[in-house]
Amino acid sequence: NSRKPEQNAINLRDIDQRIDDMVEEGLATEEDGKYVLDLDDLGYDKVLGKGHLNKEVEIHADSFSSSAERKIQEADGEAVEK
């Protein structure tokens, strides 16, 4: 069986809308206006590019779509593959 395991993905739009709540809940950190988020903590493993980031976010995930990676970099963030 060569099927890939199903990935649990989140869009940039959802990260952008929820990042401050994630910090309050202890799921992300924020220092000097830069956010750091590990998607394992949220149960996600892939970032998709729907929407935009309006904040500088360093996102750690198993994988990123090419559009998500580009948009993260355009927002001065960082896409860190595990």
Side-chain angles (χ1 to χ4, degrees), residues 6-81:
E6 193 158 320
Q7 291 186 312
N8 196 7
I10 187 169
N11 278 298
L12 291 177
R13 172 189 61 213
D14 300 317
I15 294 172
D16 191 67
Q17 290 173 348
R18 296 178 46 213
I19 192 72
D20 288 314
D21 291 336
M22 292 174 190
V23 170
E24 283 183 27
E25 294 166 17
L27 298 170
T29 59
E30 184 268 327
E31 191 171 315
D32 298 327
K34 181 174 183 171
Y35 296 83
V36 178
L37 174 63
D38 187 331
L39 287 188
D40 277 353
D41 296 339
L42 300 176
Y44 295 102
D45 47 29
K46 183 168 187 171
V47 181
L48 301 177
K50 186 172 263 184
H52 293 280
L53 281 180
N54 296 302
K55 300 171 177 76
E56 185 180 340
V57 186
E58 176 183 310
I59 303 172
H60 296 254
D62 290 338
S63 62
F64 298 84
S65 71
S66 57
S67 62
E69 201 164 346
R70 185 186 77 247
K71 290 177 180 182
I72 292 165
Q73 291 168 351
E74 286 172 357
D76 293 325
E78 194 175 345
V80 181
E81 274 194 39

